[in-house]
Amino acid sequence: MKVIVAPNYEEMSKIAAKEIAKLLYVKPNAVLGLATGSTPEGVYRELIELNKAERVDFSKATSFNLDEYKGLKGDHPQSYRYFMNSKLFNHVNIDKNKTHVPSGVAENIEKECKEYDESIEKAGGIDLQLLGIGTNGHIGFNEPSDFLNLNTHETDLTEDTIKANSRFFDSIDEVPTRAITMGLGSIMKADKIILLASGEKKADIIAKLVEDKISTRVPASMLQVHQNVLVIVDNAAASLLKNSSNNEIEYVK
Ligand code: PGA
């Protein structure tokens, strides 16, 4: 795992956006794996600016999002389809037909999950997967558990996650308790993975991700066996990393 420590959230976001822009420059029809949450919002803002300045072109790109709440339609303001449209897709020259978010209201969820993985395969697989990380170590909605799923699947959300995400809803009772998420296998098949984390509250999980043993209780720790993972964090999220780490850590000024 390579770790880049940026001085702040803005710089972290710029570094990640540049990686995406670089990929689209060398491979205009790249397949992007995208994430929701507060963390990647800065990356999307930066990509919108780069797109306006004609420094990144999404016209041939395809995207697949990690997850969606069960029961929320794409026009629900807290759905992840709505998030992606409003934070990125509506503002760049991407073909919306080539943007994919699992449907939270599919009649047959099992079929929806199977077809989601098949569509990723058909598109040629994900070139670059962007990830956030939950304070409990989840990636997508792959929550800490004794067992992890390989493929896209329906899952329960943990209390931690429901609580963390309740900040976007009027009350905690409105937070969906189930979701559809890409599995660890779907994520690990990506050619390159960029995981982002910002702020002191992510410091503990970042130290676990980078320095602890692999455990299904920290789903993100599985990334340690992937060949091409770039962890980009700000100073606060890096604050519990020890220098004794075996990983390559680069501090950016
Ligand atoms: P956050 O969420 O970016 O809003 O912190 C990350 C996650 O839960 O994966």
Side-chain angles (χ1 to χ4, degrees):
M1 249 179 214
K2 183 178 173 189
V3 182
I4 296 182
V5 182
N8 53 45
Y9 178 77
E10 284 69 34
E11 288 307 314
M12 176 199 81
S13 304
K14 277 187 188 163
I15 295 167
K18 252 189 226 156
E19 289 287 330
I20 295 173
K22 239 174 18 192
L23 170 67
L24 286 169
Y25 183 74
V26 294
K27 188 175 181 186
N29 63 347
V31 179
L32 305 173
L34 298 177
T36 52
S38 306
T39 313
E41 282 195 44
V43 179
Y44 299 150
R45 279 198 293 272
E46 192 61 31
L47 286 173
I48 292 168
E49 290 309 310
L50 290 173
N51 187 240
K52 272 194 200 140
E54 297 187 6
R55 288 171 60 201
V56 65
D57 176 18
F58 289 92
S59 62
K60 297 189 176 67
T62 299
S63 73
F64 287 90
N65 261 78
L66 281 169
D67 44 19
E68 179 61 282
Y69 287 120
K70 187 176 179 193
L72 297 195
K73 281 198 199 145
D75 59 0
H76 188 290
Q78 294 312 331
S79 75
Y80 288 166
R81 161 55 76 180
Y82 189 95
F83 176 103
M84 289 311 300
N85 286 350
S86 57
K87 305 283 184 194
L88 182 67
F89 301 151
N90 289 347
H91 312 286
V92 295
N93 67 335
I94 199 161
D95 175 355
K96 280 247 188 79
N97 295 318
K98 291 203 265 180
T99 69
H100 306 267
V101 181
S103 166
V105 291
E107 257 176 46
N108 184 338
I109 297 271
E110 215 172 294
K111 184 162 166 268
E112 168 71 13
C113 292
K114 191 165 170 278
E115 288 176 357
Y116 201 72
D117 283 329
E118 284 167 2
S119 309
I120 297 174
E121 290 293 319
K122 223 161 120 194
I126 291 172
D127 292 295
L128 193 164
Q129 176 68 55
L130 193 62
L131 296 176
I133 183 168
T135 50
N136 67 358
H138 76 197
I139 45 177
F141 279 130
N142 292 279
E143 301 281 35
S145 167
D146 288 343
F147 304 98
L148 296 173
N149 283 277
L150 280 177
N151 299 324
T152 299
H153 59 283
E154 182 177 341
T155 184
D156 280 323
L157 304 186
T158 59
E159 284 303 317
D160 287 344
T161 299
I162 292 170
K163 212 165 135 202
N165 292 5
S166 66
R167 70 191 194 275
F168 300 112
F169 291 80
D170 289 338
S171 90
I172 195 161
D173 302 332
E174 287 179 24
V175 186
T177 55
R178 290 181 72 74
I180 294 155
T181 183
M182 273 165 56
L184 259 301
S186 336
I187 294 170
M188 294 285 281
K189 276 189 206 154
D191 278 354
K192 177 171 178 141
I193 295 175
I194 294 182
L195 182 140
L196 302 173
S198 156
E200 211 180 322
K201 66 178 188 303
K202 296 285 172 76
D204 180 57
I205 197 63
I206 286 298
K208 285 196 177 119
L209 160 70
V210 175
E211 293 168 353
D212 270 11
K213 294 202 170 111
I214 295 172
S215 159
T216 61
R217 291 277 149 200
V218 180
S221 66
M222 298 288 156
L223 299 176
Q224 290 182 20
V225 295
H226 191 283
Q227 294 294 323
N228 194 359
V229 177
L230 180 58
V231 175
I232 312 176
V233 293
D234 61 9
N235 258 325
S239 58
L240 294 178
L241 286 175
K242 295 184 202 77
N243 292 327
S244 59
S245 151
N246 290 327
N247 297 285
E248 189 191 333
I249 304 189
E250 182 191 338
Y251 287 83
V252 177
K253 293 232 167 83

